[in-house]
């Protein structure tokens, strides 16, 4: 399969290779990943893989939220409550950063955040101190030592949790958070003021966009920046770095926000759409069987790692899925591959809101990853049977085309020839759902061909091996 894959990749690479940046994942520090993050991670990774397959130069970025009021609240709460890791951050020449065993767990960070958020509703002094700490992060090196250390520990602990889940899902992205752009913010604000774009309104610095009643706030009255400010700075930086195409993958509640970011960048003269393509790829919400956002029993966000563990358990208790049949991998790894592929594929098949259902995504029938993997397993089985029968490895014949005669061969061959067209559509629309629909049809055609046509020890053996 590897030789065939390399053959296909070379055949379908685009002539116009672009420098592309895909911004996806992008969780907030101080919280563990929950099911809501799955969609951005899976969709962003899929778009990146497809564009890389086509030969583009793709930079994968996770724009984490590593400063702002929520982070300030967690730091303030941890220091106030004298939580052990926070107390160690107060120690002169603390070595806590070098000792991951002393870092808070992602679940503890989420718990601290929940308590801090609740406290902020009734304790205005706490909220004000949290905001002051958040403002310090705009120049973290000048912040008090315990705040600096707490921030670094919280980011390191969060990062460790993120990386664990990303690795399980087979996803790679470079972390480049809001703090990365902090040194650029004041200069950008000055530039917007000089262009008469940024104006003070009710104490806050705003951009008033055409045909928009609500101002686009880029600096609060207390001087603190917002995520809108860092998003503007990030887009400007990415354009100036020579990117031809910049893609943001977030939930559909951010659609208006990115429209404003793109428009403000155009007005500032940074974004020229004739030279740089920018896209926001929105997605909907994962819902439970009750129609509400998928969550834990107490209504809190459902940890993504718990969902992944539950999916493995569902596979392990399904004997139909766990038939190994000469599998070269362990039972544990097999269950994990089936579970994670099923979740990712099911998610990619849906653009808008959908109901998360294990029974549907693990079905051997219908448009599921399991159905596709079953087709792939059959192809591998045919290849193994060929090699056992002939006593030699099968090599894909690139110089000759298969001879098509049987109706099932015709249907399968026709579907295969649509692959370039599908890739072109997916590239232009940034819609992996199109590819999912095609792969389901391809798997369906293959199963029909497999069940109707003898392959090994048939006069058409070599031709039908090519189709496989």
């Amino acid at each position: 399969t590897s030789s065939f894959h390399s053959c296909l990749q070379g055949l379908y690479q685009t002539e116009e290779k672009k420098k592309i940046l895909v911004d996806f994942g992008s969780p907030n520090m101080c919280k563990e990943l929950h099911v809501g993050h799955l969609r951005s991670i899976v969709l962003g990774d899929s778009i990146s893989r497809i564009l890389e397959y086509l030969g583009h130069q793709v930079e994968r970025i996770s724009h984490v939220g590593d400063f702002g009021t929520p982070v300030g609240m967690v730091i303030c709460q941890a220091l106030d409550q004298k939580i052990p890791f926070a107390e160690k951050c107060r120690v002169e020449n603390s070595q806590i950063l070098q000792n991951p065993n002393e870092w808070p767990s992602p679940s503890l960070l989420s718990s601290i955040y929940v308590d801090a958020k609740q406290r902020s509703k009734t304790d205005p002094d706490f909220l004000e101190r949290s905001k002051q700490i958040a403002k310090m992060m705009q120049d973290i090196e000048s912040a008090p030592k315990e705040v600096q250390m707490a921030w670094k520990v919280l980011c390191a602990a969060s990062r460790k949790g993120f990386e664990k889940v990303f690795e399980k899902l087979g996803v790679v992205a470079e972390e480049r958070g809001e703090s990365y752009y902090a040194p650029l913010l004041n200069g950008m604000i000055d530039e917007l003021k000089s262009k008469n774009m940024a104006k003070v309104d009710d104490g806050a610095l705003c951009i008033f966009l055409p045909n928009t009643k609500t101002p686009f706030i880029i600096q609060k009255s207390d001087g603190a920046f917002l995520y809108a400010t860092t998003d503007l700075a990030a887009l400007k930086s990415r354009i100036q770095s020579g990117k031809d195409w910049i893609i943001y993958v977030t939930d559909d509640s951010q659609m208006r926000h990115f429209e404003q970011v793109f428009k403000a960048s155009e007005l500032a003269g940074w974004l020229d759409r004739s030279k740089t393509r920018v896209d926001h790829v929105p997605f909907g919400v994962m819902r439970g069987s009750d129609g509400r956002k998928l969550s834990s029993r107490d209504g809190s966000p459902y940890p993504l790692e718990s969902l992944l563990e539950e999916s493995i358990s569902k596979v392990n208790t399904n004997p139909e899925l766990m038939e190994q049949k000469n599998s070269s991998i362990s039972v544990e790894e097999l269950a994990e591959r089936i579970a994670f592929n099923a979740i990712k594929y099911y998610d990619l098949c849906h653009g808008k809101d959908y109901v998360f259902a294990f029974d549907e995504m693990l079905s051997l029938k219908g448009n599921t990853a399991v159905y596709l993997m079953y087709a792939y397993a059959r192809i591998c089985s045919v290849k193994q049977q060929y090699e056992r029968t002939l006593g030699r490895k099968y090599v894909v014949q690139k110089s000759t085309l298969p001879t098509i005669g049987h109706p099932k061969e015709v249907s399968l061959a026709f579907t295969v020839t649509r692959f370039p067209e599908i890739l072109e559509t997916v590239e232009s629309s940034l819609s992996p759902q199109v590819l999912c629909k095609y792969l389901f049809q391809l798997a369906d055609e293959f199963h029909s061909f497999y069940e109707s046509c003898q392959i090994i020890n048939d006069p058409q053996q070599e031709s039908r091996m090519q189709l496989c």
Side-chain angles (χ1 to χ4, degrees), residues 140-157:
I140 193 65
E141 297 306 319
S142 65
K145 292 299 179 182
E146 66 268 23
V147 171
Q148 284 189 46
M149 185 59 68
W151 179 74
K152 291 176 181 177
V153 170
L154 293 177
C155 288

Side-chain angles (χ1 to χ4, degrees), residues 318-455:
N318 188 328
E320 193 176 19
L321 294 176
M322 292 304 291
E323 292 179 6
Q324 289 209 60
K325 291 187 178 180
N326 301 319
S327 176
S328 60
I329 60 176
S330 67
V331 173
E332 292 78 13
E333 188 176 353
L334 179 64
E336 190 171 284
R337 287 189 186 183
I338 293 173
F340 296 172
N341 285 337
I343 286 177
K344 290 197 282 186
Y345 186 80
Y346 193 74
D347 190 81
L348 290 172
C349 285
H350 298 83
K352 299 181 179 179
D353 296 5
Y354 73 91
V355 174
F356 188 90
F358 277 120
D359 290 343
E360 284 187 24
M361 69 179 64
L362 294 174
S363 173
L364 280 162
K365 298 178 181 179
N367 190 10
T368 67
V370 177
Y371 187 70
L372 267 61
M373 286 187 283
Y374 183 40
Y376 177 72
R378 277 184 159 179
I379 293 170
C380 291
S381 176
V382 170
K383 179 172 177 285
Q384 291 168 1
Q385 187 181 353
Y386 176 97
E387 292 175 347
R388 283 196 305 267
T389 303
L390 275 71
R392 59 181 170 83
K393 289 185 70 65
Y394 176 72
V395 179
V396 178
Q397 300 298 318
K398 301 180 185 179
S399 57
T400 59
L401 292 173
T403 303
I404 307 299
H406 193 284
K408 297 299 182 182
E409 290 178 317
V410 174
S411 295
L412 177 57
F414 175 74
T415 304
V416 169
T417 61
R418 293 189 58 226
F419 187 47
E421 165 202 339
I422 296 298
L423 285 178
E424 188 176 327
T425 301
V426 174
E427 180 185 22
S428 62
S429 66
L430 296 176
S431 177
Q433 296 99 304
V434 174
L435 183 58
C436 292
K437 185 177 180 180
Y438 167 76
L439 291 174
F440 172 53
Q441 182 186 358
L442 183 62
D444 215 31
E445 295 290 359
F446 172 76
H447 284 306
S448 294
F449 159 75
Y450 179 88
E451 290 161 5
S452 302
C453 301
Q454 183 177 334
I455 300 171

Side-chain angles (χ1 to χ4, degrees), residues 156-322:
S158 300
R159 187 178 300 117
K160 183 180 177 183
F162 299 160
E163 289 174 350
K164 182 181 178 183
V165 174
F166 271 59
E167 185 177 354
K168 279 187 175 183
L169 292 171
V171 176
V172 175
E174 178 188 345
E175 179 192 307
R176 192 178 297 166
E178 292 180 287
S179 62
Y180 177 88
Y181 301 99
L184 309 178
L185 299 181
N186 285 317
M188 183 189 73
I189 292 293
D190 290 341
E191 181 182 349
L192 292 171
K193 286 180 178 177
S194 70
K195 292 179 176 178
N196 204 32
M197 280 184 61
K199 300 176 182 178
V200 176
D201 182 66
D202 197 22
L205 193 63
C206 308
I207 297 175
F208 290 88
L209 299 170
N211 304 316
T212 305
K213 294 181 180 179
T214 307
F216 189 52
I217 303 174
I218 56 174
Q219 190 172 27
K220 293 192 282 188
S221 57
D222 62 0
F225 298 121
L226 299 92
Y227 70 88
T229 329
T230 52
D231 278 344
L232 267 179
L235 181 55
K236 180 185 178 185
S237 174
R238 292 164 179 179
I239 293 169
Q240 291 178 339
S241 71
K243 293 292 181 287
D244 303 306
W245 192 357
I246 302 164
I247 301 165
Y248 295 85
V249 184
T250 76
D251 68 89
D252 52 19
S253 70
Q254 297 292 307
M255 290 175 67
R256 177 175 171 76
H257 168 73
F258 281 104
E259 286 175 5
Q260 292 178 316
V261 170
F262 297 160
K263 189 61 181 177
S265 297
E266 285 185 275
L267 292 175
W270 307 328
L271 174 60
D272 180 346
R273 289 181 183 262
S274 68
K275 297 178 181 178
T276 308
R277 176 176 169 178
V278 291
D279 283 289
H280 173 230
V281 181
F283 53 82
V285 175
M286 290 170 59
R287 300 190 181 279
S289 57
D290 60 359
R292 299 178 180 178
K293 278 188 179 181
L294 194 63
S295 61
S296 301
R297 290 181 180 178
D298 61 0
S300 62
Y302 191 25
L304 180 51
E305 193 168 3
S306 297
L307 182 77
L308 297 180
E309 292 301 322
E310 185 180 353
S311 69
I312 295 173
S313 176
K314 293 284 186 182
V315 171
N316 276 321
T317 56
N318 188 328
E320 193 176 19
L321 294 176
M322 292 304 291

Side-chain angles (χ1 to χ4, degrees), residues 93-110:
N93 299 318
S94 173
Q95 297 299 305
I96 187 172
L97 265 180
Q98 287 72 44
N99 295 292
N101 291 336
E102 297 179 348
W103 298 349
S105 66
S107 59
L108 175 58
L109 290 178
S110 289

